[in-house]
Amino acid sequence: MENKPITVTSPLLPSLEEFTTILQDIWNRKWLTNNGFYHQELEKALAEYLGVEFISLFTNGTLPLITALQTMRITGEVITTPYSFVATTHSIWWNGLTPVFVDVDSATGNLDPTKIEQAITPKTTAIMPVHVYGNPCDTAAIQEIADRYGLAVIYDAAHAFNVKQNNKTILNAGDMSTLSFHATKTYNTIEGGALICQDARTKKRIDYLKNFGFAGETTVVAPGINSKMDEVRAAYGLCNLKNINAAIEARQKVAMKYREVLKNSSGIKMFKENPNVTYNYSYFPIFVDEKEYGMSRDALYEKFKQHNILGRRYFYPLISTFGVYRGLPSSNPVNLPMATKMANEVICLPMHHGLSDEDVQRVTDCIAK
Ligand SMILES: Cc1ncc(COP(=O)(O)O)c(C=O)c1O
């Protein structure tokens, strides 16, 4: 058993029987993409499930970021976090904009609102924070700054599917939020994503932009892109929505077991849970303090591998250290001490709905010994 690999994640799959029945229906309908029946059904179902009014489906979680910036006609500089997946910053770059990195806070790993103001210049037009690991950003503080300086706020909520604060979704914060439904995410449509906005006019513009800018059969209103979700993935997503509550509950149990054991491990730090937040348990990051733990993060990561446990150094390296971005003034590590420390100490432990008690035990034993 010791050699059975424990992967960092495992995709949530819908019932094959149910999915096959729906595939038959798609075959009968002969409508494969372009706002088909299942696309419309999934938009409705997700809006209701997530507690949002306006949601547009996409082919992945990167194109909604790119499209959000286009929709709001963002120019100049965008303040963002280096402690994320590269797609966050790439979306800014793909729009010909300049990312400006601001450090994160140690309690959540998210943009530190107290550091945002000093990064604002006359060219700043937007803030793109990330609810990293599904930890909610300080949305009130960010909005206060955005309102004072007249900035747009676009949340990369790729990790925050159905995360709530005080029983309310966090996906209505700011002007827009994006989701990723990639196979590795808590909820997946294999590849997929969504863009959430706050009014019908904006949704209309988003829907034009994700369909080449077509506003009718012969009218193109903007240089749009093709990022429509097809019927097969939308149907898969509808089936998977039935499993999501059970999957999140299973993840919560894994998180509780990790917490129970690791709270006594000296040199292993975890985020504190906020009692006002309903989490989706998308990741379980730990931070290894080399001096206190007696072993470096990388050594523990290699030790995991020897025991066939596949953790992930997520997010390492920092986005600001990659070739395209490291020349930016805001990429200087002196500007980003907390993000740099976290990137050097983090390992995401295996976290998915299919982990058994024995799997969790193997991981925690490996950390303890
Ligand atoms: C924070 C973040 N933003 C954006 C993305 C991009 O999503 P996708 O892979 O669906 O394009 C991901 C994940 O992959 C992510 O983790």
Side-chain angles (χ1 to χ4, degrees):
M1 278 310 267
E2 174 72 8
N3 278 330
K4 183 188 120 213
I6 303 180
T7 51
V8 70
T9 183
S10 175
L12 180 66
L13 291 163
S15 144
L16 187 56
E17 205 185 340
E18 190 186 353
F19 185 49
T20 312
T21 310
I22 296 195
L23 283 180
Q24 182 62 60
D25 187 50
I26 294 174
W27 259 240
N28 295 345
R29 287 173 185 273
K30 298 187 173 50
W31 185 301
L32 298 181
T33 188
N34 287 61
N35 200 28
F37 173 77
Y38 287 103
H39 182 285
Q40 291 177 33
E41 288 298 301
L42 184 59
E43 278 195 354
K44 272 188 248 158
L46 281 174
E48 194 181 337
Y49 181 80
L50 296 171
V52 302
E53 206 171 342
F54 303 100
I55 183 166
S56 297
L57 298 178
F58 277 71
T59 43
N60 58 51
T62 303
L63 284 161
L65 288 166
I66 292 174
T67 307
L69 293 161
Q70 283 283 319
T71 307
M72 300 202 70
R73 297 186 169 89
I74 300 303
T75 59
E77 295 175 1
V78 179
I79 289 174
T80 192
T81 166
Y83 193 73
S84 178
F85 182 65
V86 283
T88 313
T89 310
H90 283 354
S91 72
I92 297 169
W93 201 259
W94 270 68
N95 274 280
L97 307 169
T98 305
V100 175
F101 296 114
V102 163
D103 206 8
V104 298
D105 80 56
S106 61
T108 61
N110 291 326
L111 264 190
D112 183 342
T114 66
K115 307 258 165 66
I116 291 177
E117 217 162 338
Q118 67 208 43
I120 295 174
T121 76
K123 290 187 182 157
T124 311
T125 58
I127 308 174
M128 185 178 274
V130 181
H131 301 294
V132 80
Y133 308 125
N135 290 341
C137 290
D138 187 342
T139 52
I142 292 171
Q143 198 59 52
E144 196 276 317
I145 297 166
D147 289 346
R148 199 142 34 88
Y149 287 87
L151 309 176
V153 185
I154 298 165
Y155 283 97
D156 180 341
H159 304 170
F161 184 85
N162 210 30
V163 172
K164 297 188 181 116
Q165 194 151 20
N166 300 318
N167 294 320
K168 274 196 181 150
T169 181
I170 61 168
L171 299 175
N172 285 324
D175 296 285
M176 291 187 188
S177 291
T178 67
L179 289 168
S180 164
F181 306 147
H182 183 255
T184 55
K185 298 290 189 280
T186 307
Y187 168 78
N188 82 87
T189 59
I190 307 176
E191 291 272 0
L195 180 49
I196 292 156
C197 66
Q198 300 305 319
D199 62 89
R201 256 180 84 219
T202 308
K203 173 164 164 59
K204 207 178 211 181
R205 181 160 157 77
I206 291 166
D207 290 343
Y208 294 158
L209 282 170
K210 76 174 198 189
N211 186 25
F212 309 98
F214 275 109
E217 219 177 293
T218 54
T219 318
V220 170
V221 292
I225 200 155
N226 179 7
S227 45
K228 308 180 299 291
M229 183 184 278
D230 64 73
E231 286 292 271
V232 174
R233 294 212 192 115
Y236 175 105
L238 270 174
C239 297
N240 235 359
L241 207 47
K242 296 187 180 158
N243 302 331
I244 187 67
N245 288 345
I248 292 175
E249 270 170 40
R251 285 169 173 271
Q252 182 180 18
K253 285 191 186 126
V254 173
M256 281 164 69
K257 279 185 217 128
Y258 277 143
R259 276 192 185 279
E260 187 50 34
V261 180
L262 296 178
K263 69 177 190 224
N264 300 321
S265 301
S266 71
I268 301 290
K269 308 258 156 57
M270 301 171 276
F271 286 121
K272 278 206 184 79
E273 279 203 9
N274 177 342
N276 300 324
V277 174
T278 312
Y279 292 94
N280 65 8
Y281 305 95
S282 45
Y283 300 88
F284 199 94
I286 59 166
F287 299 90
V288 183
D289 180 325
E290 183 172 349
K291 272 206 194 111
E292 217 181 309
Y293 181 61
M295 186 188 264
S296 72
R297 182 276 308 271
D298 288 343
L300 178 59
Y301 173 73
E302 291 303 327
K303 187 177 167 198
F304 276 155
K305 273 202 208 160
Q306 281 157 20
H307 288 79
N308 229 348
I309 297 167
L310 307 166
R312 198 165 164 200
R313 288 168 293 184
Y314 202 56
F315 295 98
Y316 164 83
L318 281 187
I319 302 175
S320 49
T321 65
F322 291 124
V324 261
Y325 304 120
R326 70 170 161 246
L328 294 169
S330 65
S331 294
N332 190 335
V334 174
N335 183 46
L336 307 166
M338 188 48 67
T340 304
K341 180 174 156 60
M342 288 174 79
N344 289 335
E345 294 186 346
V346 72
I347 306 185
C348 283
L349 300 184
M351 169 50 87
H352 57 83
H353 59 282
L355 288 173
S356 66
D357 287 357
E358 293 73 41
D359 294 334
V360 173
Q361 182 86 39
R362 250 176 74 193
V363 176
T364 51
D365 282 354
C366 193
I367 295 171
K369 284 175 202 153

